[in-house]
Amino acid sequence: MQQDFTRFHAEAQAADDQAINPTGDADLGALVDRGRRNLLKGGLGMAAFGFLAGGLGLSRQARADGLIGFSGVPTQHALDFDRVIVPPGYSARPFFSWGDAVLADAPAWNPDASDDWQAQLKQAGDNHDGMHFFPFPDAPDDHGLLVINHEYVNPTLHPAGMTFVDGRRPLDEVRKEQAAHGLSIIEVKKDAQGRWQRLLPSRYNRRLSAMTPMRLSGPLAGHDAMKTAADPEGLEVIGTLNNCSSGFTPWGTYLICEENWHNYFINRDRDDFARRVSHKRYGLASEGTSKLYAWETADPRFDATPDAAQPHGGYVNEPHRFGWVVEVDPFDPDSQPVKRTAFGRYCRECSVLSLGPDGRMAVYSGDDTKGEYVYKFVPTGRFDAANPRASRDLLDEGTLYVARFDEGGQGQWLALVHGQNGLTAENGFASQAEVLLNARAAADRAGATPMDRPEWVAVHPTTREVYVTLTNNDGRGSKQPVNAANLRPANLHGHILRWNEAGGDPTAITFEWELFLLAGEQPGARDAGGQPVPANLIGTVDGDIFSSPDGLAFDGEGRLWIETDYEDSEAPMQAMGCNQLLCADPRTRQVKRFLVGPRGCEITGITWSPDYRAMWINVQHPELSYPASDGKTRPRATTVLITRDDGGVIGS
Ligand code: FEO
Ligand code: CA
Ligand code: CA
Ligand code: CA
């Protein structure tokens, strides 16, 4: 029997959309570098250089005009549109697709039959998302490691789709789905003709998956809440799930973020579920099957129903072991990934680091669910470029904050620290470990501002101004009240906010914020109250309208790149055509459309070579037969390489 997964993407999106924040109806009262990355060869043992030192970020000031130098591309509305288009003078080529070899002995991807899970562990996973290019210091513009998240899997992973046999998922299918999650690390290099190629074999190439053992560190490592029947010490987790966007550090490591991990678990004990904030507040299933793949029918680790007959209640704590940041050293293929619990546990979209001149830093994240929050983690220690080895465990100790956006453009970072902001035992937080484990509930208690699905954060390479995409929230005005920072009722198209930390200090606890732009608005638009939308808030100077900003990143010259994720065949998004990549000038709010992707996909993930003459983006969950475009082959999530035909800087 084959389950009906035909509405799969809509369901996956709907799961993302669930508003489970109980503060939604609270009285909200007053609410209303990417510089050049000189990274280390051979892991942390080699010298790391300053995060923003050198490169385009500081060598040239953003020009007074003409920051955006390409001709915008038109929207694409054809239902059979199955290509990537870029401006005249640019080329886009598929570079790394689901099923491509990562390890040298991987079998060739088979379009007609299903490779088994052992093969999948050696091939590119599915649904490429966040990624980062780590250059080798001896030839940074020509040679590096491309690190790519595989967020989740599509039914097309199997030629006949996802199946059930006697009410259970076949274990071989589940294992393949688990193998297609995680991360690919691939070595890439320019050839003699100057064309970027994937290198194979490579001693750096590596796949991480939902089956890879990972070490727990920080305040929750070894805690009772992390112990399971299979891991009585609470120190080692099998795998990482739903790796959406990401981040990177100045000491040369990659930060995987675990987003919608709750969709993989179920707790069928209604009473236990109702009492257990650590399950309920995150929206685990409590009846039927887990929300995405029903893995628990084949793999008991995903059944979080308490089982008193097993040590540590069986797998009731297994969901506690996801929702973290996972730090990976791409230059050390033998290193074990580490789940950093000091960051707090929620549905984490991204982890974007801002480094101050004195080595202090903040790591920003969004929790992409309706009415959830924007967070930052401030490590206690400082980054020391002269001694990068000392940074190895910098992310294990620090302070987690959540944002409150006040009326009038003032903002406050609220510390999620036991004993502060109402986070006491009498309010249900017995220790700092419980604050971190239940970060959403802690943020509720502290009085954070419920947002319209915060996705990516980007930090300007020279000013350190911070931007966040709020992708959309059709429940705003009904499930959550309108506030100053989330001002549109039934916000179908999303918006982008920006702020400056007090004194330009990433660790400050106050900030000044403003709206950067409202997506989906045309000049002359009126808001829900019939008032004209101020022209300076409309990011459509060239008529390049878009919806649902998601991916967001600055290049070294301060162009802001915006990637979209909406249901492109459904009204009212149809007006925007297929999903797209746009480029904005943060000073003028000019927005130009740079790229349009194939039907049904989301455009996500973005990274550059250090000279910004090569750009990689990801086409996730295309619907037709991209990249083959033959109308027959199964569609494949694909990393796309974009270059300028004259070799120039992308976007200039
Ligand atoms: Fe995986 Fe919120 O995007
Ligand atoms: Ca996203
Ligand atoms: Ca999204
Ligand atoms: Ca996605």
Side-chain angles (χ1 to χ4, degrees):
M1 182 185 79
Q2 183 173 341
Q3 200 185 33
D4 177 16
F5 282 100
T6 53
R7 295 299 306 147
F8 183 79
H9 294 303
E11 284 169 12
Q13 181 83 5
D16 226 20
D17 286 352
Q18 285 159 359
I20 43 183
N21 182 347
T23 64
D25 56 4
D27 173 16
L28 297 170
L31 289 187
V32 227
D33 147 311
R34 244 173 237 270
R36 185 174 188 144
R37 276 88 52 184
N38 290 304
L39 293 171
L40 31 163
K41 191 176 185 180
L44 292 167
M46 301 284 288
F49 299 88
F51 201 55
L52 297 173
L56 294 170
L58 295 181
S59 64
R60 288 185 223 164
Q61 291 299 314
R63 285 160 291 175
D65 51 49
L67 191 62
I68 300 176
F70 59 87
S71 303
V73 300
T75 52
Q76 297 296 323
H77 298 273
L79 291 176
D80 63 351
F81 186 72
D82 202 18
R83 294 188 295 127
V84 168
I85 57 166
V86 287
Y90 285 82
S91 298
R93 88 172 148 101
F95 190 76
F96 181 60
S97 295
W98 162 53
D100 282 346
V102 173
L103 303 187
D105 59 345
W109 182 75
N110 187 337
D112 302 314
S114 188
D115 297 317
D116 59 21
W117 65 265
Q118 292 90 345
Q120 178 64 79
L121 277 176
K122 300 174 179 178
Q123 300 167 328
D126 201 0
N127 277 342
H128 308 23
D129 207 312
M131 66 180 160
H132 189 68
F133 178 93
F134 291 85
F136 284 101
D138 53 350
D141 295 328
D142 301 333
H143 187 196
L145 299 178
L146 197 56
V147 183
I148 301 146
N149 280 355
H150 301 295
E151 185 182 22
Y152 66 106
V153 298
N154 297 308
T156 44
L157 197 74
H158 316 290
M162 293 171 171
T163 65
F164 280 82
V165 177
D166 298 331
R168 292 182 177 275
R169 298 292 319 284
L171 184 59
D172 280 351
E173 282 186 19
V174 168
R175 289 286 183 245
K176 182 170 181 185
E177 291 158 25
Q178 293 173 345
H181 279 69
L183 189 74
S184 290
I185 299 172
I186 57 171
E187 186 176 358
V188 299
K189 193 174 185 179
K190 275 189 199 164
D191 65 17
Q193 286 73 46
R195 281 169 59 93
W196 284 95
Q197 307 290 357
R198 296 185 279 121
L199 292 194
L200 205 67
S202 161
R203 82 175 198 85
Y204 297 101
N205 281 18
R206 190 175 183 190
R207 277 296 323 282
L208 307 181
S209 75
M211 301 182 198
T212 307
M214 307 192 170
R215 180 167 69 84
L216 279 163
S217 75
L220 269 295
H223 192 278
D224 281 349
M226 306 299 262
K227 295 174 179 171
T228 70
D231 177 26
E233 305 291 316
L235 292 173
E236 191 175 80
V237 183
I238 305 300
T240 183
L241 295 170
N242 217 269
N243 309 125
C244 191
S245 182
S246 57
F248 57 94
T249 67
W251 51 95
T253 59
Y254 185 77
L255 303 177
I256 302 173
C257 301
E258 299 182 321
E259 192 192 13
N260 291 312
W261 50 270
H262 59 288
N263 290 334
Y264 298 74
F265 295 97
I266 185 166
N267 177 354
R268 288 194 178 81
D269 183 329
R270 290 282 188 87
D271 294 338
D272 183 80
F273 180 80
R275 282 193 304 270
R276 196 176 291 273
V277 172
S278 63
H279 289 188
K280 186 179 179 185
R281 183 66 182 81
Y282 294 89
L284 265 65
S286 57
E287 58 185 0
T289 64
S290 60
K291 290 175 178 173
L292 270 184
Y293 306 120
W295 283 354
E296 75 282 358
T297 63
D299 184 344
R301 187 160 67 92
F302 294 90
D303 189 337
T305 309
D307 181 349
Q310 290 198 65
H312 305 289
Y315 296 97
V316 65
N317 289 334
E318 191 70 13
H320 299 168
R321 294 144 60 91
F322 296 85
W324 308 104
V325 168
V326 188
E327 187 171 16
V328 181
D329 181 352
F331 293 98
D332 181 358
D334 301 320
S335 61
Q336 187 178 30
V338 182
K339 294 205 180 192
R340 303 283 185 194
T341 63
F343 276 78
R345 171 176 165 269
Y346 45 92
C347 295
R348 186 185 315 275
E349 177 82 15
C350 64
S351 288
V352 175
L353 196 145
S354 176
L355 182 65
D358 60 0
R360 291 184 301 157
M361 67 192 103
V363 188
Y364 298 98
S365 300
D367 181 342
D368 173 16
T369 306
K370 292 176 187 177
E372 294 300 336
Y373 305 122
V374 172
Y375 296 82
K376 79 172 175 182
F377 174 71
V378 174
T380 305
R382 300 180 185 213
F383 172 63
D384 177 3
N387 186 17
R389 184 172 285 277
S391 301
R392 184 181 289 271
D393 292 313
L394 256 185
L395 301 182
D396 275 345
E397 200 181 319
T399 305
L400 178 64
Y401 295 91
V402 67
R404 194 184 72 205
F405 294 84
D406 293 335
E407 228 167 312
Q410 301 301 305
Q412 188 83 33
W413 290 107
L414 307 167
L416 300 183
V417 172
H418 187 246
Q420 299 181 26
N421 291 315
L423 304 175
T424 59
E426 63 191 13
N427 288 330
F429 300 93
S431 64
Q432 182 61 17
E434 296 205 5
V435 169
L436 296 169
L437 183 69
N438 293 312
R440 280 185 173 178
D444 299 342
R445 171 63 64 175
T449 302
M451 308 297 285
D452 286 345
R453 297 184 55 199
E455 297 240 34
W456 289 41
V457 176
V459 178
H460 189 280
T462 51
T463 67
R464 290 194 292 277
E465 188 169 45
V466 190
Y467 291 64
V468 65
T469 49
L470 299 153
T471 196
N472 56 51
N473 180 0
D474 61 4
R476 178 65 64 183
S478 50
K479 291 180 177 144
Q480 296 94 29
V482 166
N483 60 49
N486 301 273
L487 69 174
R488 270 194 303 197
N491 183 8
L492 295 178
H493 298 300
H495 57 289
I496 300 176
L497 295 184
R498 63 182 173 188
W499 66 86
N500 283 297
E501 302 281 7
D505 174 2
T507 72
I509 57 167
T510 60
F511 59 93
E512 292 191 357
W513 67 270
E514 67 170 4
L515 187 60
F516 175 55
L517 62 79
L518 291 168
E521 297 287 5
Q522 304 265 24
R526 289 178 179 272
D527 67 19
Q531 299 301 308
V533 175
N536 68 342
L537 298 182
I538 296 178
T540 55
V541 171
D542 287 341
D544 287 350
I545 193 169
F546 65 98
S547 180
S548 303
D550 185 339
L552 193 72
F554 278 102
D555 66 24
E557 291 187 332
R559 281 175 287 270
L560 181 63
W561 297 82
I562 304 167
E563 299 175 312
T564 70
D565 173 20
Y566 47 81
E567 297 290 318
D568 62 16
S569 54
E570 291 183 7
M573 316 301 183
Q574 286 168 347
M576 325 294 171
C578 293
N579 275 290
Q580 38 187 297
L581 166 66
L582 305 108
C583 184
D585 183 333
R587 302 160 310 177
T588 62
R589 294 183 166 91
Q590 180 193 25
V591 179
K592 264 191 171 178
R593 187 178 299 107
F594 180 82
L595 173 152
V596 176
R599 174 62 61 182
C601 84
E602 150 188 0
I603 303 295
T604 185
I606 186 165
T607 191
W608 293 265
S609 57
D611 60 7
Y612 294 94
R613 293 168 197 271
M615 168 198 269
W616 288 267
I617 61 99
N618 284 323
V619 168
Q620 191 189 75
H621 61 75
E623 261 175 24
L624 302 174
S625 56
Y626 186 79
S629 295
D630 59 5
K632 294 177 290 199
T633 312
R634 281 181 283 164
R636 302 165 77 185
T638 296
T639 301
V640 177
L641 168 65
I642 295 152
T643 51
R644 235 168 92 165
D645 300 341
D646 67 1
V649 171
I650 308 291
S652 66

